[in-house]
């Protein structure tokens, strides 16, 4: 297998957990690799134990394994730009019960995001890759799986093993080789007033975490 595009480990000012630093969203999946039952269960457990507002637990999952009817339906609902995910070992539709009012719906969305984050880091810890996708036909997902009224499909997460970039589509190689960038902390973390950077240790950002 060819090496994946350059080192993708996050550059951070101080060390963070290696699995967080190593998390990114590759698009090259190994079409021959299968997910073990334990791996799928662990991903769902990690998502289940994410933080939830008021212990409401609104997040629900529809899980498809490559080759089964659920996976086929989820793959068909993906936008064309996400067709690379057809090679994933599993596709997981993440939904949330939005509740009775806008406030509850707002926090349901936060819970869905937290669940996706937990799932993604658990994947890294197991040497798997995960790529959350918003580009899918939510109406098709509602229809195909009988998603109840008031429950919103938020994302499809592709999970699997890293594939060989030597055989990947040129556009995927190009996109996955772009430098990973985040705004500096001074532009996003404030204290005292909006736009006033919180005081943090000085120093050049550096890479930490797993190779």
């Amino acid at each position: 297998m060819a090496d994946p595009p350059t080192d993708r480990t996050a550059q951070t000012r101080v060390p963070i957990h290696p699995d967080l630093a190593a998390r990114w969203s590759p698009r090259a999946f190994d079409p021959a690799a299968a997910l073990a039952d334990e791996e799928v269960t662990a991903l769902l457990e990690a998502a289940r134990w994410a933080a939830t507002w008021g212990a409401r637990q609104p997040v629900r999952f529809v899980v498809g394994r490559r080759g089964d009817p659920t996976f086929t339906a989820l793959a068909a609902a993906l936008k064309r730009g996400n067709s690379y995910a057809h090679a994933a070992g599993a596709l997981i539709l993440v939904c949330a019960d939005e509740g009775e009012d806008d406030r509850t719906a707002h926090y349901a969305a936060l819970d869905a995001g937290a669940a996706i984050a937990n799932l993604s880091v658990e994947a890294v810890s197991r040497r798997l890759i995960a790529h959350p996708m918003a580009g899918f036909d939510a109406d098709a997902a509602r229809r195909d799986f009988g998603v109840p009224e008031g429950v919103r499909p938020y994302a499809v997460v592709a999970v699997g093993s890293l594939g060989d970039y030597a055989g990947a589509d040129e556009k995927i190689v190009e996109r996955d080789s772009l430098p990973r960038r985040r705004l500096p902390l001074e532009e996003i973390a404030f204290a005292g007033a909006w736009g006033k950077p919180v005081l943090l240790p000085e120093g050049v950002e550096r890479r930490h975490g797993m190779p």
Side-chain angles (χ1 to χ4, degrees):
M1 185 179 81
D3 291 336
T6 59
D7 182 11
R8 312 304 287 167
T9 309
Q11 297 184 35
T12 59
R13 192 168 302 186
V14 298
I16 63 174
H17 193 286
D19 291 344
L20 290 171
R23 189 222 61 79
W24 67 295
S25 301
R27 296 174 178 84
F29 287 88
D30 182 350
L35 288 174
D37 290 345
E38 179 181 345
E39 291 173 324
V40 175
T41 303
L43 296 173
L44 295 172
E45 285 287 16
R48 181 169 75 103
W49 282 99
T52 178
W53 172 66
R56 188 167 168 270
Q57 304 179 61
V59 185
R60 300 291 183 269
F61 309 94
V62 178
V63 184
R65 308 279 286 274
R66 189 175 57 237
D68 71 21
T70 301
F71 185 100
T72 300
L74 286 172
L78 295 175
K79 301 296 185 183
R80 185 167 58 180
N82 290 328
S83 60
Y84 58 83
H86 292 201
L91 294 174
I92 301 175
L93 176 66
V94 181
C95 306
D97 182 340
E98 295 192 295
E100 301 297 329
D101 52 53
D102 290 343
R103 182 168 179 262
T104 306
H106 172 77
Y107 285 109
L110 293 180
D111 281 9
I116 291 171
N118 269 27
L119 186 156
S120 298
V121 175
E122 180 65 27
V124 172
S125 77
R126 292 174 174 273
R127 305 288 181 176
L128 300 171
I129 62 173
H131 194 115
M133 299 168 289
F136 71 102
D137 186 339
D139 290 334
R142 289 180 184 278
R143 180 183 64 248
D144 291 341
F145 302 112
V147 177
E149 190 71 25
V151 176
R152 180 175 177 179
Y154 276 98
V156 176
V157 184
V159 186
S161 297
L162 189 64
D164 187 351
Y165 276 89
D169 183 271
E170 190 174 304
K171 291 182 178 179
I172 287 179
V173 176
E174 181 180 357
R175 292 175 71 182
D176 283 8
S177 297
L178 292 173
R180 295 190 66 201
R181 299 188 187 279
R182 292 294 187 274
L183 294 172
L185 289 174
E186 288 78 8
E187 293 185 21
I188 64 171
F190 312 135
W194 188 266
K196 182 179 179 181
V198 62
L199 293 178
L200 294 168
E202 295 183 0
V204 178
E205 288 188 347
R206 53 191 183 275
R207 295 188 184 278
H208 299 278
M210 296 184 296

